[in-house]
Amino acid sequence: EKGDGIKIAMKYHVRAFPSYLIFTPEGKLLYKIAGYQAPEDFMKTMTAALDKKNQMNYPTAFDKLDLEYPQFYSSLFEVDKKKRKYPKNDEVMAYLDTQKDLFSEVNWNVLSTFELNEKYSEAFLSNMAKYKNLYGSSDVTDKLNDIISRKVKSASEKKDYKMLDDVLKMVDKYVTENPEREKLV
């Protein structure tokens, strides 16, 4: 959680410890594991990491750690936990409004980390295939699940059945693996 570890955490969205990152000999990220696992579970996870369909396709090599992140993103990784602060949503959206390339590595880190307004949620959903191609399906699926769960929460709080029905249609449209199970969650 210090030195180059902070740069690694920022680049690869490491927010939980322990975390394990598996790289190719060329320095490309293949797989991420977050949290403690018992040895036998860890070995199963490592075996899964060897399966190409589970691997990430991160666009840049490990040696490119010095990226220019917006301050609000960098502050999430402060060594002194008291200095860490979560930005207001307006600040994140204002930053995204200034960006020409929402597919850049830095902007993907921002999009995948923070809550998105409707405009950027739609931009993400419309381009999920491209994000999967660039950054692998794991983080893209996590972002999709985040968007869905926020919409479900909002529909529930508002007791809005139409909004909930729209979310269920969204699950059918975007969730490729077992959408019926996802609806039950």
Side-chain angles (χ1 to χ4, degrees), residues 4 7-8 10-12 61-67 69:
D4 281 343
K7 293 177 185 178
I8 293 167
M10 287 174 32
K11 180 177 180 80
Y12 299 112
F62 178 79
D63 62 344
K64 296 183 177 146
L65 291 177
D66 290 316
L67 299 172
Y69 295 103

Side-chain angles (χ1 to χ4, degrees), residues 18 40 42 66 71 81 84 88 111 119 121 127 182:
E40 55 278 355
F42 187 74
D66 290 316
Q71 179 57 39
K81 292 180 182 178
R84 290 181 191 171
K88 293 187 187 293
L111 286 164
K119 173 184 175 182
S121 290
N127 293 288
E182 191 67 30

Side-chain angles (χ1 to χ4, degrees), residues 9-164:
M10 287 174 32
K11 180 177 180 80
Y12 299 112
H13 317 155
V14 174
R15 303 284 297 278
F17 296 94
S19 284
Y20 304 91
L21 305 176
I22 301 167
F23 295 90
T24 67
E26 298 78 33
K28 294 278 194 169
L29 179 65
L30 289 180
Y31 202 79
K32 292 190 322 186
I33 305 165
Y36 170 79
Q37 294 183 4
E40 55 278 355
D41 293 333
F42 187 74
M43 290 307 297
K44 288 177 188 172
T45 301
M46 293 299 290
T47 301
L50 296 174
D51 186 339
K52 287 203 180 295
K53 74 175 172 94
N54 296 327
Q55 293 177 351
M56 303 174 82
N57 183 25
Y58 214 77
T60 61
F62 178 79
D63 62 344
K64 296 183 177 146
L65 291 177
D66 290 316
L67 299 172
E68 302 231 358
Y69 295 103
Q71 179 57 39
F72 64 81
Y73 183 80
S74 300
S75 72
L76 293 177
F77 299 89
E78 283 285 336
V79 175
D80 182 352
K81 292 180 182 178
K82 293 178 184 172
K83 291 183 180 178
R84 290 181 191 171
K85 65 177 189 176
Y86 206 83
K88 293 187 187 293
N89 195 267
D90 292 346
E91 182 179 3
V92 177
M93 296 311 112
Y95 166 80
L96 290 172
D97 285 342
T98 67
Q99 300 304 297
K100 290 181 173 43
D101 181 9
L102 293 178
F103 300 101
S104 74
E105 185 175 359
V106 168
N107 290 336
W108 168 244
N109 286 345
V110 171
L111 286 164
S112 64
T113 300
F114 299 102
E115 180 179 351
L116 302 177
N117 64 14
E118 198 61 34
K119 173 184 175 182
Y120 291 108
S121 290
E122 285 302 317
F124 167 77
L125 294 169
S126 299
N127 293 288
M128 275 180 45
K130 185 171 182 176
Y131 283 113
K132 280 183 181 181
N133 187 48
L134 288 171
Y135 301 105
S137 62
S138 177
D139 285 349
V140 172
T141 299
D142 288 347
K143 187 61 192 180
L144 174 62
N145 290 338
D146 175 63
I147 290 171
I148 290 170
S149 67
R150 288 180 191 276
K151 288 181 178 279
V152 167
K153 182 179 179 191
S154 179
S156 175
E157 288 171 350
K158 295 175 182 177
K159 296 183 181 359
D160 186 330
Y161 293 106
K162 171 150 180 15
M163 185 185 286
L164 182 59

